[in-house]
Amino acid sequence: DAMVIQNPRYQVTQFGKPVTLSCSQTLNHNVMYWYQQKSSQAPKLLFHYYDKDFNNEADTPDNFQSRRPNTSFCFLDIRSPGLGDAAMYLCATSPPFPGGQETQYFGPGTRLLVL
Amino acid sequence: EDQVTQSPEALRLQEGESSSLNCSYTVSGLRGLFWYRQDPGKGPEFLFTLYSAGEEKEKERLKATLTKKESFLHITAPKPEDSATYLCAVYESTDKLIFGTGTRLQVFP
């Protein structure tokens, strides 16, 4: 029944060692989002895809990249993780526009720890 | 600047003690307001969407209302399983969801 799946649920990496987080969806939604959420803070949008069109937030660090090879999968690459990148990373999807794009369905998140 | 503010930051209730959570917003071009529930270590779970002032939505013990400047999430006779962080988010004209920092609710038996 899982609709938005994130793997792994927990990821430990070393300072500066590249890491990739993955998200897949069974909803066939054309919009996918990546958020960063730190403890007791609101989710912060990093970027989103509308189909294959990539939209980067102005304040998303260059250290963060994303790939979307097909409708179902989306990846978040952190090229050189720093201690400040330790957070929960949330993937979300939303239905086709118009009419449903604003309702976002979230995955369970990947908690990243940087040592 | 678009902003979403939630209050209180934390709320402790006795089981059965009804209360309300507030979400106030200043955005240009509001297209919808959303309430999510988030349990520790999990992603937000969608609860409600409200589109226009005066609109109300209900689900079990929760009721969401919307005015031109704020939204309330009313919790009637809460149970311990209602304990979670409740997030408000506003969808605005640039196709983005702007989240508040949430209200952490604890309901004690």
Side-chain angles (χ1 to χ4, degrees):
Chain A
D1 274 320
M3 296 182 291
V4 183
I5 303 158
Q6 291 189 243
N7 286 304
R9 295 294 312 279
Y10 300 92
Q11 176 73 57
V12 180
T13 191
Q14 292 179 329
F15 183 93
K17 184 176 181 182
V19 66
T20 295
L21 311 181
S22 74
C23 176
S24 64
Q25 54 141 331
T26 60
L27 299 163
N28 202 34
H29 288 170
N30 62 338
V31 191
M32 294 187 77
Y33 309 80
W34 280 105
Y35 288 87
Q36 179 193 65
Q37 187 179 26
K38 297 187 177 181
S39 182
S40 300
Q41 294 185 19
K44 178 181 180 297
L45 183 64
L46 296 173
F47 22 61
H48 74 279
Y49 279 92
Y50 193 105
D51 292 322
K52 284 192 174 293
D53 292 336
F54 177 71
N55 299 274
N56 197 34
E57 293 302 298
D59 56 355
T60 298
D62 293 338
N63 199 25
F64 291 85
Q65 304 286 320
S66 185
R67 296 170 283 136
R68 188 179 185 186
N70 54 52
T71 300
S72 300
F73 285 87
C74 196
F75 300 97
L76 171 62
D77 301 308
I78 308 176
R79 292 191 297 186
S80 182
L83 298 178
D85 296 327
M88 173 78 87
Y89 289 88
L90 296 165
C91 174
T93 74
S94 64
F97 190 82
Q101 187 182 16
E102 66 274 15
T103 302
Q104 294 186 14
Y105 297 88
F106 285 82
T110 294
R111 182 164 295 284
L112 177 68
L113 181 63
V114 181
L115 301 178
Chain B
E1 182 182 334
D2 295 340
Q3 205 165 14
V4 179
T5 305
Q6 291 189 246
S7 62
E9 287 187 12
L11 182 62
R12 291 162 60 97
L13 297 174
Q14 202 73 34
E15 184 173 4
E17 179 187 1
S18 302
S19 188
S20 296
L21 282 53
N22 177 263
C23 171
S24 62
Y25 60 91
T26 53
V27 298
S28 54
L30 175 74
R31 295 172 66 178
L33 186 141
F34 301 83
W35 283 97
Y36 286 87
R37 169 190 171 130
Q38 187 173 26
D39 292 297
K42 296 187 178 180
E45 175 190 345
F46 172 76
L47 292 173
F48 302 109
T49 309
L50 300 166
Y51 292 102
S52 56
E55 191 174 357
E56 298 182 353
K57 294 271 179 76
E58 283 190 69
K59 180 180 179 181
E60 296 179 355
R61 295 177 292 281
L62 300 176
K63 178 180 177 181
T65 62
L66 180 65
T67 72
K68 288 186 177 179
K69 293 183 179 180
E70 58 190 350
S71 177
F72 292 94
L73 184 65
H74 307 278
I75 303 177
T76 302
K79 298 181 177 182
E81 53 262 41
D82 295 323
S83 298
T85 295
Y86 290 85
L87 293 168
C88 168
V90 170
Y91 188 65
E92 44 83 68
S93 57
T94 60
D95 292 346
K96 294 178 190 175
L97 267 185
I98 302 173
F99 280 89
T101 53
T103 292
R104 191 172 64 256
L105 174 67
Q106 291 179 293
V107 182
F108 294 91

